[in-house]
Amino acid sequence: MLICRYVTAKAFTGTYGINYGRIANNIPTPNEVVRLLKAAKIKNVRIYDADHTVLEAFRGSGLDLVIGLPNEFVKDMSSNADHALTWVTDNVKAYISNTHIVGIAVGNEVLGGSDLDLQNALYGAVKNIYNATQKLQLDKVVQITTAHSQAVFANSYPPSSCVFKEDVAQNMKKLLDLFTQMGSPFCLNAYPFLAYMGSPDQIDINYALFNPTDGVDDEKTNLHYDNMLDAQIDAAYAALEDAGFGKMEVIVTETGWASDGDENEGAATPENARTYNYNLRKRLAKRKGTPRRPKSMLKAYIFALFNENSKPGPTSERNFGLYKPDGTIAYDIGFPALKSSSSVSSRLSFKVFGAQTWHWSYISVLTACASSSFLFLRS
């Protein structure tokens, strides 16, 4: 039975983090990645599974690591508490003494997706994983979360009018109740890139890129937004307030901009990707909140560390990296390249791509963003 009490687990230091995706056959080894992250002074890292080669590489590194329970395991963990206990024992308890595992992300973008059985299973999986951390006395050091796409929102214009979709509201409320008991934040994958791609003729790209712009005013709250990401985050805060969870923190678990794309993805350029990520880094360094939550310091994990050549979907999917597979920078936002005496010839081989899949439905999120894109019109 779940013990309802607040815990002190916190999974984020400072304001800046990175998603270390590995759906590729040509990226540096985990040991080289640790060296790269330490050189770049990026402390907060998320992975999408619990690969033991990565956990071993992070031993003694001092980096804070959030591991993932992939979507394909969610139903099993929901229906079998013993399996959840075994998973936490094997992937967290066995490593946490030397590898600083600070969080477990249970599934990714489950609510708002097309698999209703998966949506219904998410609450049980989160509860069983949390109960396992309690039994293993890890609940005060490992934070349990799940990340949501913007597809969970019914509308987002103005930001203060955002609410959760009716078809996800029931599962969402149960989950938010549980997260309140655990002291966990609401994790949002927010992509101005996708919103702009949905309606490039209606959205000022400077607004999406944090460049100077007239911005947008929310007439209901008299708040002004000079960039799209802040508006997307405050829309999430409004939805949480509407659902009765106004005290819950919002953390951005994915955001980024593609540096290359297909012919119909004209905004995916190295210049735009550099502009977005450079300006985002400056925005986070200010350590300030959003217009709706000015005292709640914005925290974000950037997607992603590397371009990943084995990801399916449009070309943009394979070009979100701050780094190229050889460890050189994709564009300069102030981070160093990987310096190695040997070419990056020692690579990981990936036996099960399913355990590392991003689980981001590009089309569904793009459609959701496009349908509400008038939020981001220039005023």
Side-chain angles (χ1 to χ4, degrees):
M1 180 177 179
L2 179 67
I3 299 174
C4 299
R5 60 185 174 85
Y6 287 90
V7 298
T8 58
K10 296 295 180 184
F12 206 114
T13 302
T15 63
Y16 195 95
I18 196 81
N19 285 280
Y20 169 24
R22 304 183 337 275
I23 306 178
N25 60 11
N26 62 349
I27 59 176
T29 66
N31 286 325
E32 290 172 311
V33 168
V34 167
R35 186 153 48 86
L36 178 62
L37 292 168
K38 293 178 74 172
K41 297 181 180 179
I42 300 176
K43 184 177 178 64
N44 303 292
V45 187
R46 287 171 60 91
I47 59 175
Y48 291 87
D49 57 12
D51 187 280
H52 289 186
T53 60
V54 177
L55 301 186
E56 288 287 352
F58 274 68
R59 280 185 183 272
S61 67
L63 302 175
D64 292 347
L65 185 64
V66 175
I67 64 174
L69 175 77
N71 284 8
E72 55 261 36
F73 300 147
V74 166
K75 294 178 184 177
D76 178 47
M77 298 300 163
S78 180
S79 61
N80 195 317
D82 289 338
H83 289 185
L85 181 61
T86 298
W87 191 91
V88 174
T89 300
D90 292 347
N91 297 299
V92 182
K93 182 71 171 180
Y95 289 92
I96 199 166
S97 61
N98 294 304
T99 299
H100 199 204
I101 299 171
V102 296
I104 302 171
V106 180
N108 189 42
E109 300 190 345
V110 172
L111 299 187
S114 58
D115 189 335
L116 295 181
D117 290 337
L118 184 64
Q119 292 188 48
N120 292 331
L122 180 60
Y123 172 83
V126 171
K127 184 173 69 172
N128 284 341
I129 291 293
Y130 178 60
N131 286 344
T133 65
Q134 285 189 314
K135 290 179 180 179
L136 297 170
Q137 298 183 331
L138 299 172
D139 54 303
K140 291 190 176 183
V141 293
V142 178
Q143 187 179 75
I144 313 299
T145 60
T146 189
H148 304 286
S149 76
Q150 291 170 297
V152 300
F153 302 130
N155 64 283
S156 53
Y157 179 81
S160 58
S161 294
C162 186
V163 296
F164 291 114
K165 286 181 177 177
E166 289 185 9
D167 59 353
V168 305
Q170 183 176 358
N171 281 324
M172 182 66 78
K173 187 179 187 307
K174 288 175 57 182
L175 200 61
L176 295 176
D177 276 330
L178 183 56
F179 281 169
T180 297
Q181 296 164 19
M182 296 188 297
S184 296
F186 181 88
C187 293
L188 177 68
N189 295 344
Y191 285 90
F193 170 75
L194 289 181
Y196 178 79
M197 288 286 295
S199 298
D201 57 333
Q202 297 178 324
I203 300 172
D204 179 5
I205 194 170
N206 290 311
Y207 183 58
L209 293 172
F210 297 94
N211 280 337
T213 176
D214 292 340
V216 169
D217 292 309
D218 187 330
E219 295 183 359
K220 289 182 63 177
T221 57
N222 292 320
L223 295 176
H224 178 77
Y225 294 90
D226 58 14
N227 71 83
M228 185 184 294
L229 184 64
D230 277 6
Q232 291 176 328
I233 295 165
D234 275 1
Y237 274 123
L240 287 169
E241 289 177 21
D242 178 75
F245 299 90
K247 295 183 179 180
M248 187 169 288
E249 179 186 16
V250 174
I251 291 178
V252 176
T253 34
E254 288 181 17
T255 190
W257 198 285
S259 61
D260 193 16
D262 295 323
E263 289 186 6
N264 64 341
E265 297 180 304
T269 67
E271 180 181 2
N272 285 342
R274 180 196 177 277
T275 298
Y276 182 82
N277 281 290
Y278 178 75
N279 286 339
L280 174 61
R281 192 179 178 195
K282 289 197 303 181
R283 162 71 178 86
L284 294 172
K286 293 178 180 179
R287 305 174 73 86
K288 69 175 187 177
T290 60
R292 194 178 186 96
R293 289 287 186 276
K295 295 182 180 180
S296 183
M297 186 172 64
L298 177 59
K299 305 168 186 176
Y301 290 90
I302 283 57
F303 193 88
L305 187 58
F306 296 109
N307 290 335
E308 298 171 68
N309 69 340
S310 297
K311 291 190 67 177
T315 298
S316 61
E317 286 279 293
R318 295 176 287 282
N319 289 279
F320 272 87
L322 300 183
Y323 287 89
K324 298 178 181 179
D326 63 0
T328 60
I329 57 174
Y331 40 81
D332 187 9
I333 63 168
F335 289 129
L338 174 66
K339 294 180 175 62
S340 177
S341 58
S342 61
S343 61
V344 188
S345 57
S346 177
R347 311 292 187 189
L348 278 179
S349 62
F350 303 105
K351 296 180 180 179
V352 185
F353 275 12
Q356 303 170 26
T357 303
W358 188 359
H359 299 299
W360 173 29
S361 175
Y362 178 92
I363 298 300
S364 65
V365 177
L366 181 58
T367 301
C369 292
S371 66
S372 59
S373 62
F374 54 88
L375 160 62
F376 312 114
L377 304 182
R378 297 182 67 173
S379 57

